[in-house]
Amino acid sequence: MPRTREIDSLLNTARYPLTRPGSAEWRDLVFHARLALRERGCAVLPDFIAPSLVDTLRTEGAAMARSAHHIVETVNAYNLPLDAPLPADHPGCIRARRGNAFVPRDRIPTDAVIHSLYVHRSFQRFVADCFEMSLIHELADPLAGLCLNVVAPGESHPWHFDTNEYTVSLLTQRAADGGVFEYCPNIRSADEENLDTVRSVLTGSGEHLVHRLALRPGDLQLFKGRYALHRVTAVGGEAARHTAIFAYSARPGVVGSVERTRQLFGRVLPEHLAAARRSVRVDQLLD
Ligand SMILES: O=C(O)CCC(=O)C(=O)O
Ligand SMILES: [Fe+2]
């Protein structure tokens, strides 16, 4: 089996000394990431990947993008079934077209840059520290743990909340036009849905709550996607937008639901059926 790559060869180590945990530079990076996460639920670490690998990142992503599961769906921000019994003014009644496609973990080569990073202990330790956690775990989900999100020209990834509390992502190919990541920090919390505010964003009157990121390939993004409503706007031009999505959890053993897995990847594996009987959730929020 191809080996994963060593972290020193992957990163812009001059800026990101991940092999020196606890050093002054490490503490400074973590301090700033924590501040951004506390204030906005989002931290960007620019030029995280070694400049010499940014092209490899793009070509590897473009090759795996051929295995994306393409299906255009009508969804709501909570990924609730469209016939869920909700009051008429509930923001979950607002529908959108989801046109992005995911390449699942079992279609991503082990020696790809994004896989090498996802499983690397130094990287996980650094990410955990930024999220103020002692430890983070890869999802036990054989499909959703690591994905490539493909937004093709003309498509978008509409407003939604993530199932995972924390998400780490890395742009591998940017759109020539559009494909902007937009988010509303802390619009809900573990015990408050804030339905009125969510509805205002979905209907356009909450525009002042929307933040935008100008990401470049190789930038790392740390994000609290369970509490921030977010989307990728429609991609223009010829090129698709590709992002690696690294999903981690505070608990080991987290596996996506059967319904959501089928929705995202078009198939389920025995691990999903087994997990449905155990059901590990971190809170009682919708989705
Ligand atoms: O591709 C992105 O930048 C965002 C993807 C996203 O929000 C998701 O996969 O849940
Ligand atoms: Fe998301």
Side-chain angles (χ1 to χ4, degrees):
M1 196 184 0
R3 280 166 44 88
T4 59
R5 296 157 183 258
E6 278 311 312
I7 200 142
D8 270 343
S9 67
L10 295 174
L11 301 186
N12 184 352
T13 40
R15 262 180 102 168
Y16 300 105
L18 265 62
T19 49
R20 286 187 279 124
S23 62
E25 295 90 342
W26 167 294
R27 288 204 308 271
D28 189 53
L29 283 170
V30 170
F31 174 82
H32 286 100
R34 286 182 175 188
L35 199 64
L37 282 164
R38 273 194 218 139
E39 287 177 355
R40 296 186 297 282
C42 184
V44 176
L45 285 75
D47 300 323
F48 193 75
I49 296 296
S52 59
L53 272 186
V54 171
D55 202 48
T56 307
L57 193 64
R58 193 188 59 73
T59 49
E60 286 180 352
M64 61 182 87
R66 291 187 215 112
S67 312
H69 175 66
H70 284 277
I71 177 160
V72 172
E73 282 189 307
T74 302
V75 295
N76 54 61
Y78 303 95
N79 284 299
L80 290 167
L82 297 181
D83 60 357
L86 297 173
D89 63 347
H90 192 290
C93 297
I94 299 173
R95 297 177 176 190
R97 172 190 161 101
R98 186 176 78 76
N100 64 302
F102 290 105
V103 177
R105 181 172 185 178
D106 69 349
R107 297 284 185 271
I108 296 177
T110 339
D111 62 345
V113 172
I114 60 171
H115 181 270
S116 302
L117 205 53
Y118 179 61
V119 299
H120 209 289
R121 292 288 181 264
S122 302
F123 180 68
Q124 293 174 3
R125 182 167 175 188
F126 175 72
V127 167
D129 211 0
C130 292
F131 283 129
E132 303 190 45
M133 294 160 72
S134 50
L135 206 61
I136 53 170
H137 301 271
E138 291 169 35
L139 297 203
D141 192 311
L143 301 180
L146 174 66
C147 297
L148 188 79
N149 189 20
V150 177
V151 190
E155 299 295 350
S156 66
H157 189 167
W159 290 117
H160 68 281
F161 292 104
D162 291 345
T163 309
N164 314 313
E165 231 173 315
Y166 303 100
T167 307
V168 182
S169 54
L170 183 70
L171 188 71
T172 66
Q173 176 170 294
R174 93 173 123 191
D177 191 20
V180 177
F181 185 88
E182 297 188 337
Y183 70 107
C184 305
N186 298 314
I187 200 167
R188 74 173 182 178
S189 65
D191 38 38
E192 180 53 64
E193 292 275 8
N194 274 328
L195 298 176
D196 289 343
T197 318
V198 171
R199 191 191 319 100
S200 78
V201 173
L202 300 181
T203 56
S205 63
E207 168 67 25
H208 58 286
L209 300 171
V210 179
H211 294 228
R212 292 182 177 82
L213 287 184
L215 294 166
R216 290 168 309 153
D219 289 354
L220 188 77
Q221 180 189 352
L222 310 180
F223 186 55
K224 289 186 166 177
R226 188 143 183 79
Y227 308 115
L229 187 65
H230 58 284
R231 72 170 173 182
V232 178
T233 64
V235 166
E238 302 284 300
R241 177 187 187 275
H242 296 161
T243 332
I245 312 288
F246 307 89
Y248 296 107
S249 174
R251 300 185 195 187
V254 173
V255 175
S257 75
V258 169
E259 299 74 25
R260 187 75 185 275
T261 302
R262 210 183 294 282
Q263 193 183 20
L264 296 178
F265 305 111
R267 60 196 164 103
V268 294
L269 296 176
E271 287 88 336
H272 301 103
L273 300 170
R277 295 189 285 272
R278 294 194 309 270
S279 188
V280 183
R281 303 291 301 229
V282 293
D283 56 45
Q284 298 304 312
L285 290 169
L286 298 175
D287 170 19

